C-alpha cells in the first residue's frame, strides 16, 4: 500500500499541478529524468533487486554464526569462512565459488548453506537469487535426463543473466544423475563469459 501511495503522489505532483505544460523542453526532460530516478529508488527499496541494498556480504555475521550456531565442525567452519571471505572480497574473481559439503544427515550441510545465504542476501534463503535443487524432487526420472539437462542449463543461465550474484544449492548430490552435473560444469570453470554470460560472481554449493 505504501508503494502505491508514494508512486501515486509522484505522478500527481508532476501531472495534476499543471506546471508540466508550462515547462520548456529542457526542463521537462529534467523533470522526467528525476521522476524515473526516484521511481527506481522506490522500487529498489521495497522490491528485492540485484543491488547492494539487498546483496551485501556480512563477513562478521557469518563468522559469528559459524562459531556460535554450528557445533562440532570447527575445521569445516574455518575452511568455509576463508573461502567465502576470499571470494566475496574479490571484485573480479576468476571463477565462481564452488563448495562441496559432504556428511551424514544432521551434520549441518543444509544449515551451513543457510548461514552463507543469510550473510550475503538480505532475504536469506527466501531471496529470489537463491535457488535450491533437490535431486529426488526436481529430477526424479532418469529417462528424462536430456530434458532435465536442458532445463537446468537454461535456468542457471537465465538467473545469472538476471543477477550475477546468484547462488545455486544442489541437495542430494549422491542421488543425482551424473549427466546433470556434467551439463553445468562449464559454468564452474575459468571462463570470462559463456555465450555472453559471466558466471564468475555466482556461488554453487553441492550437498552430499
Amino acid at each position: 500500500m505504501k508503494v502505491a501511495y508514494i508512486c501515486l503522489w509522484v505522478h500527481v505532483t508532476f501531472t495534476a499541478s499543471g506546471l508540466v505544460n508550462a515547462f520548456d523542453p529542457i526542463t521537462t526532460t529534467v523533470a522526467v529524468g528525476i521522476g524515473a530516478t526516484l521511481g527506481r529508488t522506490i522500487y529498489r527499496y521495497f522490491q528485492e533487486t540485484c543491488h547492494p541494498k539487498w546483496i551485501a556480504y556480512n563477513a562478521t555475521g557469518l563468522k559469528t554464526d559459524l562459531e556460535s550456531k554450528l557445533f562440532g565442525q570447527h575445521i569445516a567452519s574455518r575452511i568455509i569462512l576463508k573461502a567465502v571471505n576470499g571470494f566475496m572480497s574479490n571484485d573480479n574473481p576468476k571463477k565462481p565459488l564452488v563448495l562441496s559439503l559432504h556428511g551424514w544427515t544432521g551434520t549441518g550441510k543444509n544449515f551451513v548453506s543457510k548461514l552463507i545465504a543469510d550473510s550475503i542476501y538480505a532475504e536469506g534463503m527466501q531471496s529470489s537469487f537463491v535457488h535450491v535443487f533437490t535431486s529426488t524432487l526436481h529430477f526424479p526420472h532418469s529417462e528424462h535426463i536430456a530434458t532435465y539437462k536442458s532445463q537446468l542449463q537454461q535456468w542457471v543461465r537465465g538467473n545469472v543473466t538476471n543477477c550475477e550474484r546468484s547462488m545455486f544449492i544442489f541437495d542430494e548430490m549422491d542421488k543425482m544423475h551424473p549427466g546433470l552435473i556434467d551439463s553445468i560444469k562449464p559454468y564452474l570453470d575459468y571462463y570470462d563469459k559463456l555465450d555472453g554470460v559471466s558466471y564468475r560472481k555466482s556461488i554453487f554449493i553441492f550437498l552430499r
Side-chain angles (χ1 to χ4, degrees), residues 3-4 10-11 13 60 76-77 83 112 115 132 139 148 159 184 189 203:
V3 179
V10 172
H11 177 71
T13 299
T60 302
S77 294
V112 168
L115 295 182
V132 181
F139 317 110
Y148 293 152
N159 280 287
I184 64 169
D189 217 330
I203 298 176

Side-chain angles (χ1 to χ4, degrees), residues 29-65:
T29 301
V30 173
V32 172
I34 293 173
T37 301
L38 181 59
R40 286 194 297 270
T41 301
I42 293 172
Y43 180 81
R44 286 174 178 171
Y45 186 83
F46 290 99
Q47 178 68 39
E48 185 186 25
T49 59
C50 189
H51 186 269
K53 169 181 164 43
W54 297 97
I55 304 177
Y57 179 52
N58 183 354
T60 302
L62 179 59
K63 182 176 185 294
T64 300
D65 283 346

Side-chain angles (χ1 to χ4, degrees), residues 18 78 91 93 99 208:
R78 287 196 297 271
D91 290 332
L99 298 175
R208 180 166 182 161

